[in-house]
Structures are given as C-alpha cells and as structure tokens.
Amino acid sequence: MILKRLGISVFVLLAVSLLVFFFTLLLPGDPAQAILGQQATPERLAALREQLDLNAPWYERYLSWLGGLLVGDLGTSAATGGSVNALLASKVSASVVLMAIAAVIAIPVGLLLGTWSAMRRGRAADQGLTGISLVLAALPEFVIGVALTTLLSTTVFRLLPSVTMAAPGTRVWDYPLQLILPTLTLILVVVPYMIRMTRTTMADVLDSGYVEMARLKGLPERQVIFKHALPHAIGPVAQVIAMQLAWLAGGIVVVEFLFRYPGLGQAMVDAVNTRDVQVVQALSMIIAAFYVIVNLLADVVGILANPKLRTESRS
Amino acid sequence: MSAQRTSESFTRRVLRQPAAKLGIVLTALVLLLAVLGPLAVPAWTGYGTNSFAGKPFQTGVFGTDNLGRDVLSRFLAGGWRLLLYSALATVVGVGLGAVLGMLAALRGGWLDSVIMRCGDVLLAIPQLVFALLAVTVLGPQGWVLVLVIGVTHAPRVARVIRAATAGVVAEDYVLASQMYGVPQWKILGRDVVPNIMGPLMVEVGLRLTYSIGAVASLSFLGLGMQPPTPDWGLMINENRIALSLQPWGVILPVIAIAVLTVGTNLIADAVAGASAGRVRTTGKGTR
C-alpha cells in the first residue's frame, strides 16, 4: 500500500518534470544568445551552444536535465551564466525558516480552533469563527499582507518594519521583527482553511455511532474526544495539513515579493522578470517535489492511522 | 418541466440564506464600480496634475500617485480588465473541467484513468507557480493569463464533477435509460446535467473567487497587466512604495478586490449550503 503510493509519487514527479521541460521548447529565441547578449561572436555562440547541449535533440536535453536534477545539479542560469545552485543556495534556508515558523504556529492553532468550533456547533462562537474564516479564505495573500502592512506598519500603527532589509552576510533570522509580518500573513492565509476542514472532519466524527456509544457508556468528555474521536480524524486531518503546507509553498511567492523577503519566492519573481527559464524551471521542480513529498507523507500517516488500510498493507 | 421546478426552488433556497444576499450585494457593488467607473473617469479630471504623491483633497479627491496621476481616476478605470479576465478564466476552467469530469465518469476505464492522472500531475504544481512558468515563456499577455489560470482550475473542477456525475450515473433510472438504449448524449442532457447543476454552480463561484485572486496577484507581481494600464493589482504594486505617504492608491484597490472576493465566496458558500450534503466543498483539491 505504502510502496504503491511511493510509486505513484515518483510517476507524478517524472510527469511534472516532463511538463516543466516542455515549456522551454515553447520559448522563442536562443538561450545562448540570451546569455551572451547581442554582441556575441558566432564562434562563442557556437561554443556555448555546444557547452549547453543546445544542438542535441530535445529528449537528450531532457534526460541530461533530469539526470542533473537527480544528482542535485539544477543547471545554468540563462540570465547570469552562473549555476542555479549557487543562486538559490542562500535563499532556500530563508524560505524554509519562513514556512517553518508559519507552519509551527498555524497547524496547532488551526486544528484547535477547528475542533473547538466542531464541539460548539451552531453556537455563537462557532458561527463567528466560521464567518471570519469564510471572509479570510476569500482574500488573496497580497490583500491580507497589504492590509496587515497598513494596519501595523505604515498607516494606523507604526510598530513593525514593512520590508525585509538584511545587511549582506547576515541571515534573515538575525532580525526577528522583520519576520513577523510575512509569517503572520502566511498564517492568516492557511489557518482559515484548516479551521474549516478540521471542523467538517471533527463534526462528522462527533456525529458518528462510536462516539455516541462512548458517550452513552458514560465516559468523560475528554476521553471521548482524545481516545475515540481524534484517532479517526487523524487521516483526514493529515490531508488538510498537507494541503495547506503545499499551499504555503505557492504562497511564499507573493508574500516574499510583498515584503521583499530574500527567499525562493522572490527569486522566482526576479527570474520571471528576466525570463530566466532555467531558474523558473528549477524552482517549479523544487516546489512540486515539496508538494508531492508532503502529500505522500500525509497519505502514509493516513494509512498508518487507519487499522483497515494498515493490515491491508501488511498482507 | 420537473427539472425547471427543482431549479427554481434551488434558486430560492440559495436566496433565502442571508450570506447569499450579502454576497450578491457586495459583488454587485464592485461590478457596478468596475463597469460604470471607466465611464465616469472623464468627468473627474486629474491626469497630469504633476505633483508628487499629492495629499488627499489637495489634488483630486484621493490625491495623486508618484507619477502625478489622479488616484480616483485610475481606480475607477482599473477594475473591468480584472473582472473580464477572471470571468473568462472561470469559463475556461469550469467548462474544461466539467466536460472532462463528465467524460471520465460516463466512459470510465482507461479514459477515466488518463484524465484523472493528468489532473494529478497538474495539481502537483501550485497554480501561481504554473502561471509564472507560462508567463516566463509566453509573456504577460491577457490570453496567456486567461488560459493558464483556466487550465489550472480544470483538474480541480473535474474531480468534483466526476464524483457528482458518477453519483447520478449509478441511479436506477439512468441504468434503466441505458438499458433501453437511450443515446449517451440524451442521458447527459436530460439526467446528468440537471442533477449536477448544484456542484457546478458551487465550482463557478469558487473558481471565480480564485481567478480574481490569481489575476490580481499576477498583476500585483508585475507579471499580469503592464504599465501604464490602470489596473487594481498593478496599482497596489505601483503605489506601495509611497504607502506611508499616500496610502489611498493602495487602499482603494485593496478594498475593492477584498469586497469582490468575499462577495463571490459568500455566494459560492450559500450555493454549497443550498445543495446541502450532495457536494463537499471542503474536499481535497478545492484550492
């Protein structure tokens, strides 16, 4: 069961790489020309084409690109001529920090509020929470970010820095104050979904026969929730968390751009502006790989949490 | 005849919810603003007042931006493209997704597997990242935005519609029609489509909400509408440099986009509530 899931993930990633590579074939113009500029001599162009394998047919170029990806070589940037690895190395950690802080805060908050909302279904607290999350869920990331900036940084209160400004050689986490607005934006983007979906899942579980049975046996409510209801909700809830983590990977693009945060998302926007296809491809693959791995983990958790599927995998 | 009666009561069921009324009012407000706004612009002169980041009420009602352009004029003129592109992307996405979803459910077999696996591949790349990939190669043209956002909606819509169609096809009366040899397209038109209108309408509302978000986000990143086009997303990008001096150039479009997406999302939620139980709007891949 788990092995089958793993196989599907590998297949999906391969197909994604083919799709991402396909986009380079649509690109008008010559990458070698783009790197060397208009004044390049024909000899140098030919040499670079040879070096970049541009004369090879597309499937050979795809295979060598894919081979490079598998050993961690992301290719050569068309805009700067340097390696993509060097370009992205310092930015990976910055983005990981941002996403990790957002996830560590958002996951427990979302799950707790969702469960709480499900337990008080129909009451004022539940309706208020549902309304707020419905509104927040509708807003694009940059709207939430800009609203927070005007509220906390530039216009109403002037408490926090609105852009990230790190001196060369320093790390993003050397300035904790600058991290607050980007992480807060990401948290407000994912928490509403977690609340809504956890609420739906928990409401289903709390309505089920075995929870009623546990209550009728006279078990204390805490035991009903944690011993009888929660284990059944783990699988679906893991899916919810995975989906929101995957959403974070896309959300960092807008949020990093908004706060000028020096991470992968900002690098992506810069690369699109300079039409640096190699970098955009590499980033798309990184983000897709993250998405596929997170979903795989969620499915594995779901399989392990479900006794029926667990025994199926053993046999 | 009977299909019409159920759809009428369905509309009434949607409208009975206060969230639907609020959503319609909010959406209509922004719609009117975006459509009638451009017509009002010539009356509010202000282009070329040439004062840097003018304060409100000194130059123009909401001041001017850092190029000396009247904020209110640009705000009034800047909504219709966002709405048009989002609507077109929604039509492409829901249309493509609905056709593929129904096809997958009706035909089944290898076609079903191929359609759904292709969808899985597309779902592994976040929508915005996929759009950026397309914009890098094809440039920030309107048709690229519409097409790429539509295509990324399609697998999400296809999943929902496939499930809904499969539910209808499994009903006894559909099986009976099939056994009588009623042609597939007739079954599709008479049985399937009327019965999946609920989920389909929910998808239209949801996808419209996300299309607006995606088009506006791309413009905000400077990769959608290009200057000097007046556009809400682009305005936010252009004016955020002077946010602490002249916030109106950012606040007006942010409020408009927020009211619009909240409005469409409220409508989608009310429709989902009215077709209660038959649709799961919170399932995997809604976003």
Side-chain angles (χ1 to χ4, degrees):
Chain A
M1 193 80 185
I2 293 175
L3 277 179
K4 191 181 157 208
R5 247 336 250 107
L6 192 69
I8 294 174
S9 302
V10 172
F11 164 76
V12 167
L13 265 184
L14 272 177
V16 167
S17 74
L18 205 61
L19 182 69
V20 168
F21 184 81
F22 169 73
F23 273 95
T24 37
L25 301 177
L26 294 175
L27 189 72
D30 182 356
Q33 190 94 53
I35 295 175
L36 294 174
Q38 292 298 322
Q39 278 86 40
T41 59
E43 296 81 50
R44 288 205 53 203
L45 277 176
L48 189 67
R49 265 191 216 117
E50 193 62 40
Q51 194 191 328
L52 292 176
D53 267 347
L54 290 178
N55 299 321
W58 68 269
Y59 52 87
E60 269 180 37
R61 271 156 58 201
Y62 168 68
L63 286 178
S64 73
W65 176 69
L66 186 68
L69 283 186
L70 290 178
V71 295
D73 172 17
L74 299 173
T76 311
S77 158
T80 63
S83 100
V84 179
N85 288 50
L87 191 74
L88 299 182
S90 63
K91 288 163 178 155
V92 173
S93 55
S95 285
V96 167
V97 167
L98 192 62
M99 284 174 59
I101 298 175
V104 163
I105 298 172
I107 292 171
V109 169
L111 295 188
L112 281 176
L113 285 179
T115 312
W116 186 65
S117 195
M119 286 164 67
R120 320 199 138 243
R121 229 171 321 155
R123 295 197 217 168
D126 171 43
Q127 280 168 351
L129 211 53
T130 307
I132 292 170
S133 49
L134 190 63
V135 168
L136 279 178
L139 300 176
E141 294 94 340
F142 74 93
V143 167
I144 296 179
V146 169
L148 285 176
T149 310
T150 42
L151 184 67
L152 296 173
S153 174
T154 57
T155 313
V156 184
F157 303 104
R158 293 169 188 251
L159 300 171
L160 297 165
S162 63
V163 290
T164 314
M165 278 181 290
T170 55
R171 300 290 201 151
V172 278
W173 51 87
D174 294 336
Y175 307 94
L177 267 185
Q178 297 186 344
L179 282 171
I180 294 178
L181 276 179
T183 42
L184 192 59
T185 308
L186 282 178
I187 291 168
L188 285 182
V189 167
V190 292
V191 159
Y193 280 87
M194 291 201 180
I195 294 177
R196 289 190 74 177
M197 293 197 248
T198 311
R199 180 185 176 276
T200 316
T201 309
M202 280 309 279
D204 283 350
V205 172
L206 290 176
D207 277 343
S208 64
Y210 47 83
V211 167
E212 197 181 346
M213 178 69 193
R215 283 207 179 110
L216 289 173
K217 279 197 294 189
L219 293 177
E221 186 66 17
R222 197 192 306 157
Q223 211 173 334
V224 173
I225 299 284
F226 286 102
K227 273 202 148 166
H228 294 258
L230 214 52
H232 288 271
I234 285 177
V237 163
Q239 296 280 359
V240 173
I241 293 175
M243 238 182 86
Q244 295 314 307
L245 282 178
W247 183 261
L248 276 183
I252 55 167
V253 176
V254 172
V255 172
E256 287 183 2
F257 175 78
L258 172 61
F259 294 105
R260 295 179 210 271
Y261 186 88
L264 293 178
Q266 174 85 61
M268 181 101 177
V269 177
D270 290 344
V272 178
N273 271 317
T274 54
R275 293 215 159 185
D276 195 341
V277 180
Q278 301 295 320
V279 175
V280 178
Q281 274 184 325
L283 284 165
S284 305
M285 283 311 295
I286 293 174
I287 292 173
F290 176 78
Y291 176 91
V292 169
I293 291 170
V294 163
N295 265 305
L296 176 68
L297 288 178
D299 283 354
V300 170
V301 169
I303 291 169
L304 292 179
N306 186 333
K308 216 162 133 196
L309 296 175
R310 194 166 55 211
T311 42
E312 221 172 273
S313 70
R314 213 172 283 156
S315 62
Chain B
M1 188 66 199
S2 70
Q4 195 153 10
R5 205 175 299 138
T6 43
S7 79
E8 260 181 345
S9 72
F10 181 74
T11 322
R12 218 173 297 136
R13 246 183 304 158
V14 173
L15 288 173
R16 216 187 296 133
Q17 302 183 54
K21 285 178 195 144
L22 184 62
I24 290 170
V25 169
L26 294 179
T27 311
L29 268 178
V30 181
L31 203 67
L32 281 176
L33 183 74
V35 173
L36 299 179
L39 304 175
V41 170
W44 306 71
T45 49
Y47 274 103
T49 24
N50 277 330
S51 64
F52 175 76
K55 287 277 187 310
F57 298 108
Q58 289 173 3
T59 47
V61 181
F62 287 104
T64 55
D65 67 7
N66 58 351
L67 295 175
R69 299 174 297 192
D70 182 44
V71 166
L72 183 62
S73 303
R74 288 182 66 76
F75 173 67
L76 288 173
W80 66 270
R81 280 187 191 82
L82 170 64
L83 282 175
L84 180 66
Y85 289 1
S86 319
L88 288 177
T90 309
V91 170
V92 171
V94 175
L96 198 63
V99 168
L100 289 175
M102 285 191 279
L103 204 63
L106 283 177
R107 284 286 156 83
W110 65 269
L111 191 65
D112 181 21
S113 310
V114 168
I115 291 174
M116 296 326 281
R117 289 299 83 74
C118 287
D120 287 347
V121 172
L122 217 48
L123 285 173
I125 311 176
Q127 188 170 38
L128 193 68
V129 174
F130 193 80
L132 291 181
L133 198 61
V135 168
T136 313
V137 176
L138 301 169
Q141 274 105 0
W143 65 269
V144 175
L145 303 187
V146 168
L147 210 62
V148 78
I149 293 169
V151 166
T152 46
H153 282 325
R156 296 163 169 90
V157 178
R159 278 191 178 185
V160 174
I161 297 303
R162 176 176 172 269
T165 309
V168 178
V169 173
E171 297 275 355
D172 287 340
Y173 63 90
V174 178
L175 292 176
S177 319
Q178 277 173 341
M179 276 189 283
Y180 277 120
V182 177
Q184 286 279 25
W185 59 268
K186 238 177 195 173
I187 294 180
L188 198 70
R190 286 200 182 153
D191 300 326
V192 175
V193 173
N195 277 304
I196 61 167
M197 278 321 266
L200 201 63
M201 287 298 113
V202 176
E203 282 305 306
V204 170
L206 275 181
R207 296 310 140 202
L208 186 60
T209 308
Y210 294 133
S211 296
I212 297 164
V215 175
S217 294
L218 282 168
S219 291
F220 166 70
L221 293 174
L223 302 167
M225 259 59 93
Q226 295 298 305
T229 314
D231 173 77
W232 290 345
L234 191 59
M235 266 180 94
I236 299 169
N237 182 8
E238 290 169 338
N239 291 321
R240 71 200 174 105
I241 325 159
L243 190 58
S244 47
L245 291 171
Q246 213 311 35
W248 288 111
V250 172
I251 289 176
L252 288 180
V254 160
I255 290 176
I257 293 172
V259 169
L260 182 61
T261 49
V262 168
T264 52
N265 202 31
L266 281 175
I267 298 174
D269 195 65
V271 176
S275 48
R278 301 206 61 175
V279 239
R280 278 176 54 105
T281 49
T282 50
K284 198 180 169 186
T286 28
R287 226 155 121 158

